[in-house]
């Protein structure tokens, strides 16, 4: 079956950076399952998979604007330590999940700690990076009405939402 909008697609993928370092991979784990045309994955990868079929292998290199975006200076800010209620030790490199104004989950990374002042970075950890994807398409199927209504695929065990 061919990949077009409203298909649920399963892929095995490995993501590497310009230095051939593996950033993320589904190999050895379950395939990534996404709803095509619903912004579940980065736009450049979705575009590269359009029209492909089960069994196809796709390699694509994405510039930041087709991946996780450029790094934005305005997403870096200094906040008071009090923001991190319940966290005993705050250190550079720690990641927190926060809810962005649009309701999406956003990863906040601590980049510097100076007394009570904590510098945080709301850029996606992969923002500003060129992404090298090697993808194998494992399965393509029609989405259910539920999945289309929710805008994401449902597995065997996540119908409770
Ligand atoms: Zn759902």
């Amino acid at each position: 079956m061919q990949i077009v909008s409203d298909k649920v697609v399963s892929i095995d993928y490995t993501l590497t950076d310009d230095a051939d370092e593996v950033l993320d991979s589904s190999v050895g784990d379950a395939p990534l399952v996404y709803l095509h045309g619903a912004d579940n994955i980065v736009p450049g990868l979705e575009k590269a998979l359009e029209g492909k079929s089960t069994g196809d292998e796709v390699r694509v290199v994405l510039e930041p604007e087709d991946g996780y975006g450029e790094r934005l200076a305005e997403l870096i800010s200094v906040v008071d330590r009090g923001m991190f209620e319940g966290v005993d030790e705050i250190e550079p490199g720690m990641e927190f999940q926060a809810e962005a104004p649009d309701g999406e989950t956003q990863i906040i990374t601590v980049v510097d700690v100076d007394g009570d002042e904590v510098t945080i970075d709301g850029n996606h950890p992969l923002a500003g990076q060129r992404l090298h994807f090697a993808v194998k398409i494992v399965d393509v199927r029609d989405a259910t009405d539920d999945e289309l209504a929710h805008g994401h695929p449902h597995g065997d065990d996540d119908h409770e939402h």
Side-chain angles (χ1 to χ4, degrees):
M1 188 177 276
Q2 232 184 0
I3 299 176
V4 293
S5 286
D6 299 344
K7 299 293 183 193
V8 171
V9 183
S10 302
I11 57 172
D12 273 330
Y13 72 96
T14 297
L15 169 62
T16 50
D17 63 11
D18 282 343
D20 219 16
E21 191 105 9
V22 175
L23 301 173
D24 193 12
S25 178
S26 69
V27 175
D29 208 339
L32 172 74
V33 184
Y34 78 96
L35 176 60
H36 196 81
D39 290 330
N40 290 175
I41 59 173
V42 295
L45 183 57
E46 190 162 72
K47 199 187 289 179
L49 295 173
E50 175 85 26
K52 299 289 190 292
S53 304
T54 308
D56 284 353
E57 293 188 32
V58 177
R59 280 178 177 272
V60 64
V61 180
L62 304 180
E63 296 299 325
E65 69 258 32
D66 297 319
Y68 291 99
E70 300 288 352
R71 295 193 74 81
L72 302 175
E74 62 259 38
L75 292 182
I76 298 170
S77 56
V78 178
V79 300
D80 189 87
R81 182 183 282 269
M83 287 257 306
F84 300 90
E85 208 178 308
V87 184
D88 291 338
E89 199 82 31
I90 300 169
E91 289 173 348
M94 287 175 82
E95 291 181 351
F96 295 90
Q97 286 200 350
E99 194 167 316
D102 60 5
E104 296 277 309
T105 301
Q106 187 182 13
I107 299 169
I108 303 284
T109 308
V110 174
V111 289
D112 192 38
V113 181
D114 182 12
D116 279 342
E117 294 189 338
V118 180
T119 306
I120 57 171
D121 184 350
N123 285 290
H124 189 282
L126 296 177
Q129 291 220 43
R130 191 180 288 130
L131 308 175
H132 301 247
F133 276 102
V135 175
K136 182 163 195 220
I137 297 151
V138 178
D139 187 47
V140 182
R141 64 166 170 85
D142 290 320
T144 65
D145 290 343
D146 252 10
E147 289 172 326
L148 292 176
H150 286 207
H152 57 228
H154 288 162
D156 296 330
D157 52 3
D158 62 354
H159 291 119
E160 302 296 318
H161 61 251

